[in-house]
Amino acid sequence: MNEENIKPDLEDVIDAFMMEDDPGGKSLERYLHLFPQFAVELLDFAREISAIPDYEGGTVSDGDELLIAAAWTRHVETVPAGAVDPLGSLNPLELNQLSAAFDLPRQVFLALRERRVIASSISDSFLRLLAERVGCKVHRLVESLNEPPRLAMGVSRKSEVKPAEPQKVTFAQILTDSEIEPGRLAELISGE
Amino acid sequence: MEGLPDAEQVRQCEVLSSDSPEFVPTECILYLVRLRREHPPTDVTFEKLYAILLRRVLTQLPHPDRSGINQERAVDVEIREQVLEQFAILMAKDREEYNERLDFFEIRFQRGIAKLRATAIRNAVKLARRYTNLDGVQASGDMSKCEESQLETSDPINFEKLDEKSYRMRYFDAIVHLPDHLRVVIEMIRQGIPFESKKPNVVSISDTLGKTPKTVREYGKEAVRTLQALLAEEQE
């Protein structure tokens, strides 16, 4: 563990100690010297590590099986973040709110929702602000944007000609098509 | 293991005894469960592997009926429930979004559980202490001058006997009931750390706790007296 210039967090210190080859003796003394404020937790943890062999042959009761079943029920109630499309789930009102917040035409966010934008052409700062607005992590937003484009909602399907698969374009192109004035466009692309 | 059919994966993971040649390390089971972290609840193998994993957690915890007299120890019940809950929370957070803290468990599972156990024991004992009076433990009186001097040079609690499992379990059961400031001193004595040291690179109890050598020696005496009384009480 690099002990320099780090404001120690108890969890991080204990996790690092957990990975020591020999979590006793000299390692323990070194951690006590570096992190005396965590002496209680370090010593308790070192004692519990030494007790590990005493738990060999542990058993599970019928009552434990009920606890396990309850834990499973709660576990699968958690919705994986990957199951939620951060932009796809936005309703028209929320799209309007985004448009107002960023002072950009609604069609920009429609293009983003339809994944017609090349994610790597969007500045980090814009992605960060957008992720914050829709309440998700940046990497999750990027993952979603990198998925294949989807057909626009409400597109008429009465044509006899199969619609062409939408192509992804750069963010600059989307902004140009939305008639954003050049100065503002440059700012949005550069991220300033 | 990943390439095996689901039913075979489950069968092999169900082996609970580490003495068995078919025993699958818990780190592997955790890895298999995390591979399915975004799977729906209808995935039967996911459910079975999750249950097997939690059974492995429970085997690393004090069993409430370990006294063998069919009387549950309230503290052990509390520890068991707390650790299981904390581990389940880590797993749920991982299902929601990849949780790096579980990576440590994939490398050293037993130590990860030991970490949760240490915290749960501290919390459970503090909770129990609200309902019991440690002052009720009759300390064995003041130490003689001879015993005081032996505090630093010999083994006041017979730490050598900790190699014996039965004594070790009694010691561990007793020591968790000491207040933090006494427990930390007795554990440092057990680790052979001196009360004080003039050398800057030598860890000492007084430097670690930020107390004078005289104060930590007093703590040490009180810790030894109280622990001896607790061990005597356990024996009765």
Side-chain angles (χ1 to χ4, degrees):
Chain A
M1 180 179 189
N2 181 8
E3 298 99 11
E4 295 176 0
N5 304 321
I6 297 175
K7 196 168 179 190
D9 170 82
L10 173 60
E11 284 284 334
D12 291 339
V13 169
I14 297 293
D15 285 345
F17 185 64
M18 191 192 321
M19 304 311 292
E20 294 285 338
D21 286 334
D22 174 28
K26 290 301 171 194
S27 287
L28 178 59
E29 286 184 29
R30 182 161 54 86
Y31 273 73
L32 288 171
H33 174 66
L34 288 168
F35 310 108
Q37 69 272 41
F38 302 137
V40 170
E41 291 84 0
L42 284 164
L43 287 161
D44 283 347
F45 182 36
R47 187 183 62 252
E48 286 305 312
I49 289 177
S50 70
I52 285 173
D54 295 336
Y55 290 100
E56 295 295 327
T59 57
V60 176
S61 67
D62 292 341
D64 291 333
E65 294 294 343
L66 294 176
L67 290 177
I68 291 169
W72 167 252
T73 301
R74 286 195 304 273
H75 184 72
V76 292
E77 281 172 359
T78 307
V79 177
V84 177
D85 180 352
L87 293 176
S89 55
L90 293 174
N91 61 40
L93 175 62
E94 286 162 334
L95 280 174
N96 290 342
Q97 287 171 342
L98 271 182
S99 170
F102 282 86
D103 192 23
L104 289 172
R106 196 168 179 271
Q107 69 199 70
V108 171
F109 298 97
L110 277 172
L112 288 164
R113 189 172 75 170
E114 290 159 15
R115 301 179 196 137
R116 287 191 283 112
V117 185
I118 298 170
S120 56
S121 69
I122 308 173
S123 72
D124 289 344
S125 61
F126 188 88
L127 284 171
R128 201 167 42 250
L129 285 170
L130 182 57
E132 210 174 285
R133 271 276 161 183
V134 300
C136 74
K137 297 275 171 75
V138 172
H139 74 87
R140 180 67 203 110
L141 179 63
V142 170
E143 274 171 18
S144 171
L145 289 168
N146 278 331
E147 288 182 33
R150 59 177 169 200
L151 287 172
M153 292 162 65
V155 168
S156 169
R157 305 196 194 286
K158 289 183 182 173
S159 169
E160 288 177 4
V161 177
K162 187 179 172 184
E165 198 166 296
Q167 299 295 312
K168 286 188 186 258
V169 298
T170 63
F171 193 43
Q173 187 62 54
I174 295 290
L175 294 172
T176 303
D177 292 345
S178 303
E179 298 178 352
I180 303 299
E181 64 94 10
R184 176 96 201 281
L185 190 149
E187 278 175 9
L188 285 165
I189 295 305
S190 67
E192 287 170 19
Chain B
M1 289 279 316
E2 278 179 72
L4 291 175
D6 289 354
E8 182 58 16
Q9 268 189 27
V10 170
R11 189 197 71 76
Q12 290 194 23
C13 291
E14 272 176 342
V15 175
L16 210 53
S17 169
S18 56
D19 292 333
S20 168
E22 285 193 308
F23 181 75
V24 175
T26 314
E27 289 82 357
C28 294
I29 300 176
L30 176 57
Y31 171 75
L32 292 173
V33 174
R34 292 182 88 188
L35 278 182
R36 294 171 187 261
R37 43 191 276 277
E38 295 191 1
H39 283 209
T42 47
D43 181 344
V44 174
T45 303
F46 182 22
E47 182 178 1
K48 287 182 178 176
L49 288 174
Y50 180 89
I52 290 169
L53 180 63
L54 260 58
R55 282 185 204 113
R56 293 288 184 97
V57 171
L58 287 164
T59 59
Q60 294 291 307
L61 304 175
H63 200 286
D65 190 27
R66 59 194 165 112
S67 64
I69 53 173
N70 205 28
Q71 199 172 19
E72 288 195 337
R73 291 160 52 105
V75 165
D76 290 345
V77 171
E78 181 66 28
I79 291 165
R80 219 165 164 78
E81 288 178 2
Q82 267 198 43
V83 172
L84 196 67
E85 184 184 342
Q86 288 306 309
F87 185 76
I89 288 172
L90 285 172
M91 292 295 294
K93 282 185 178 168
D94 189 60
R95 177 169 167 80
E96 190 176 21
E97 187 145 16
Y98 190 84
N99 182 5
E100 284 178 355
R101 293 235 179 257
L102 269 182
D103 293 351
F104 293 106
F105 287 75
E106 263 196 59
I107 301 168
R108 285 194 159 131
F109 187 81
Q110 287 179 317
R111 288 192 190 177
I113 298 302
K115 171 188 157 187
L116 297 180
R117 199 169 59 227
T119 304
I121 289 172
R122 254 195 320 277
N123 293 341
V125 168
K126 277 181 184 158
L127 190 66
R129 205 177 284 147
R130 286 188 209 157
Y131 303 105
T132 61
N133 185 2
L134 192 63
D135 293 337
V137 173
Q138 296 294 318
S140 50
D142 289 341
M143 285 183 161
S144 67
K145 284 274 184 262
C146 179
E147 284 171 328
E148 279 190 21
S149 67
Q150 284 178 345
L151 186 62
E152 293 183 55
T153 57
S154 69
D155 187 351
I157 297 292
N158 206 354
F159 292 131
E160 285 179 5
K161 280 186 72 180
L162 287 174
D163 289 339
E164 296 172 21
K165 182 175 174 178
S166 60
Y167 184 81
R168 187 167 62 243
M169 291 182 73
R170 284 178 49 225
Y171 172 87
F172 285 173
D173 278 350
I175 196 169
V176 297
H177 291 283
L178 289 181
D180 290 353
H181 70 287
L182 298 186
R183 187 170 74 255
V184 77
V185 169
I186 198 76
E187 285 286 77
M188 291 182 85
I189 293 173
R190 180 165 77 91
Q191 295 285 345
I193 295 173
F195 283 103
E196 60 178 309
S197 173
K198 305 245 183 317
K199 297 177 186 171
N201 59 338
V202 174
V203 173
S204 71
I205 300 176
S206 66
D207 285 343
T208 300
L209 300 187
K211 304 283 183 192
T212 64
K214 182 181 176 189
T215 299
V216 295
R217 282 190 174 84
E218 287 302 317
Y219 285 174
K221 283 188 276 183
E222 189 181 347
V224 167
R225 282 198 302 267
T226 309
L227 194 52
Q228 284 171 336
L230 283 167
L231 287 169
E233 200 180 73
E234 283 252 336
Q235 189 107 42
E236 287 165 10

